[in-house]
């Protein structure tokens, strides 16, 4: 990075982090109850909820991993982008109305609360909470490590990794503890806006970085390997289509995303939230596709040296081609993307620890739940930070192992019980509990055995299909179970 | 086992899911690796030689994937199993997906080589056909929200449940 770029990037990051701290102070005065802390008092406006939905979906994976995937595999990961867009439509049709209505009817504050109400099962609450906790721990650790590595890189190595972990986690914890989900979603608004602006500017820059624009890039990539720029990329037909299913249907099972449906001010707001979320996501995804393609074409064309790591695609592109101001905005956007997902995970993880598991085990909530929510948030972040450092220095496989409890496992475990179960009265608690348990075990087995299904099919897609088949099959074979009247009304809407 | 009208869509979904698992099992019998490391550039993958073509199994798999997504979305719109007018409209909206998929399959099978707006024709069908379709569906969602998704009588039912609603 040149000195001008470095200074601009540092200024942008400092301004951005200052904004996050400011939002934390602002939200502190507005967070007075557990419902405020976990559900933002169900008072969020349309634009805020939409941007929070989108920025929780995009995450650091979209800004770092996405371009890296296109660089490494060609057009294959276009299918993830396309799937996430339809995923919003599916998730809104299945869940936006019913989750919001149930949250109001029962004053619910988490997804495990919803499943306990739907199935009248504390086991369903506990299993969902455990699934969320496993996913949150692995995901938070990887996000904290990513934040620290980015911060250290921006500062040119002037800060130790431990200090970078301390600073980035400290700011994350500060605004999540003071303002709960309210601070989280309002920082998401800032983060989402940065991501959209950054993506448009990068897209325009990427077109100019290669002679002939996208046509020129396509021709160079095709001259080396026609399949890489074909519709399936290097992954192949089955792999791409399995991603399409996993991401298209799997969005309904992401707790950090779908719980946002429960936070809007009015159920009718869902009408405008869908186009806003899709529009923001589609715009931000321009960075994913354009940077990956231009970097692959440049490397194949001999314009730049091969990357040491595919995930460096965005960083190298920015350092080489972007105007210093743009580089500053995008690095802030990258930091924002990581933080916006990490804060959502921190919130639902804290809810699992201090609300869902105690309720499932004791049959009632903790006294002074708001205080415990803040303590739980700090404890979870500290554990994840320690975990991140341990994995970096001692055992990278440990975080990788928990990292698989991310999108794929949430999809396989929660899509049947949440998305289908809230739309089908005959679904039973036994079916939900079996589907969650089996999918968790299956995903763990895929990771431990290092077995990959043939033709590039993602293991989590197989888990999702098995989980769906079990859920539907067992529900059909079981005797119908009674459903509480208010829940039945919501299911019939 | 008695099946009520509200069980029809889940039953259809179950059949589609089991069929998808079946296609995967059949495909697993055929040998083939999806990708190989680039011979000279570390970190890059290239397609296996020859790349697995879009065969019958893959075409059926893709169609079933769309069926599962459409059925899931339809389940959200259906009321107590009644697909009715909203269901018909959902089907029409989702038929755009099947049309785009059909175009992609046709281009692939024909081996089309021409370029459309920066991408090979079949890739352009994904970038400009399948990817933007949800924008059109979102427009339908906004337009018909109060008729298909949340009607005035739904609001009244919720309000009758209690003060919190």
């Amino acid at each position: 990075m040149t000195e001008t770029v470095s200074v601009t990037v540092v200024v942008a990051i400092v301004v951005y982090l200052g904004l996050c701290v400011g939002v934390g102070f602002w939200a502190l005065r507005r967070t007075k109850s557990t419902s405020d802390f976990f559900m933002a008092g169900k008072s969020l406006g349309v634009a805020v909820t939409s941007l929070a939905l989108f920025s929780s979906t995009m995450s650091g994976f979209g800004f770092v991993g996405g371009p890296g995937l296109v660089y490494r595999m060609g057009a294959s990961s276009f299918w993830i982008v396309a799937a996430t867009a339809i995923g919003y439509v599916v998730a809104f049709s299945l869940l936006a109305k019913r989750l919001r209505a149930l949250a109001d009817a029962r004053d619910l504050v988490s997804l495990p609360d919803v499943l306990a109400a739907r199935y009248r099962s504390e086991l369903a609450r506990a299993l969902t909470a455990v699934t969320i906790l496993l996913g949150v721990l692995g995901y938070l650790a990887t996000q904290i490590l990513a934040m620290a590595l980015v911060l250290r890189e921006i500062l040119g190595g002037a800060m130790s990794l431990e200090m970078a972990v301390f600073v980035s986690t400290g700011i994350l914890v500060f605004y999540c503890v003071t303002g709960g989900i309210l601070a989280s979603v309002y920082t998401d608004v800032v983060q989402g806006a940065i991501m959209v602006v950054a993506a448009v500017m990068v897209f325009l820059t990427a077109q100019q970085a290669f002679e002939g624009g996208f046509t020129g890039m396509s021709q160079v990539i095709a001259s080396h390997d026609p399949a890489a720029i074909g519709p399936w990329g290097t992954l192949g037909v089955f792999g791409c289509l399995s991603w399409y299913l996993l991401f298209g249907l799997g969005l309904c099972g992401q707790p950090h995303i779908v719980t946002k449906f429960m936070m809007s001010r009015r159920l009718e707001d869902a009408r405008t939230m869908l186009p806003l979320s899709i529009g923001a996501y589609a715009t931000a995804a321009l960075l994913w596709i354009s940077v990956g393609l231009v970097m692959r074409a440049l490397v194949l064309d001999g314009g730049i040296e091969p990357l040491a790591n595919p995930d460096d695609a965005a960083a190298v592109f920015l350092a080489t081609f972007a105007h210093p101001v743009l580089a500053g905005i995008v690095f802030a956007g990258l930091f924002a993307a990581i933080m916006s997902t990490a804060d959502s995970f921190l919130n639902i993880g804290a809810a699992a620890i201090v609300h869902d598991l105690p309720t499932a085990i004791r049959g009632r909530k903790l006294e002074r739940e708001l205080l415990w929510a803040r303590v739980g948030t700090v404890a979870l972040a500290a554990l994840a930070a320690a975990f991140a450092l341990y994995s970096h220095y001692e055992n990278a496989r440990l975080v990788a192992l928990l990292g698989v409890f991310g999108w794929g496992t949430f999809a396989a475990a929660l899509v049947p019980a949440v998305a289908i179960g809230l739309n089908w009265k005959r679904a039973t608690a036994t079916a939900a509990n079996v589907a969650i348990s089996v999918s968790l075990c299956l995903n763990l087995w895929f990771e431990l055995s290092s077995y990959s299904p043939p033709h590039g099919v993602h293991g989590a897609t197989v888990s999702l299909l098995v989980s769906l088949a079990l859920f539907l099959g067992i529900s059909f074979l079981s005797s119908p179970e009674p459903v509480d009247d208010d829940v039945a009304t919501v299911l019939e809407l | 086992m008695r099946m009520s009208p509200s069980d029809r869509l889940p039953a259809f979904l179950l059949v589609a899911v089991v069929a998808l698992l079946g296609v995967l099992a059949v495909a697993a019998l055929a040998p083939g690796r999806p990708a190989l490391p680039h011979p000279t550039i570390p970190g890059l993958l290239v397609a296996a030689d020859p790349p697995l073509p879009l065969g019958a199994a893959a075409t059926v798999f893709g169609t079933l994937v769309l069926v599962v997504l459409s059925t899931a979305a339809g389940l959200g719109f259906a009321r107590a199993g009644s697909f009715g007018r909203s269901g018909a409209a959902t089907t029409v909206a989702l038929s755009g997906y099947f049309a785009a998929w059909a175009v992609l399959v046709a281009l692939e099978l024909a081996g089309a080589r021409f370029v459309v707006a920066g991408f090979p024709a079949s890739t352009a069908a994904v970038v400009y056909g399948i990817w933007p379709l949800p924008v059109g569906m979102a427009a339908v969602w906004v337009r018909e929200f109060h008729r298909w998704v949340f009607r005035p009588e739904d609001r009244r039912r919720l309000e009758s449940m209690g003060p919190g609603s």
Side-chain angles (χ1 to χ4, degrees), chain A residues 241-251 407-408 411-412 458 460-461 464:
Chain A
L241 291 172
S242 78
W243 272 355
Y244 193 65
L245 180 64
L246 183 63
F247 284 84
L249 195 54
L251 198 141
W407 186 284
H458 200 292
T461 307
L464 172 60

Side-chain angles (χ1 to χ4, degrees), chain A residues 269-294:
Chain A
D269 291 346
R271 181 184 183 216
T272 327
M273 280 158 50
L274 176 61
L276 285 176
S277 303
I278 287 183
Y281 184 86
T283 309
L286 293 174
L287 183 148
W288 173 322
I289 288 177
S290 58
V291 169
L293 279 181
V294 74

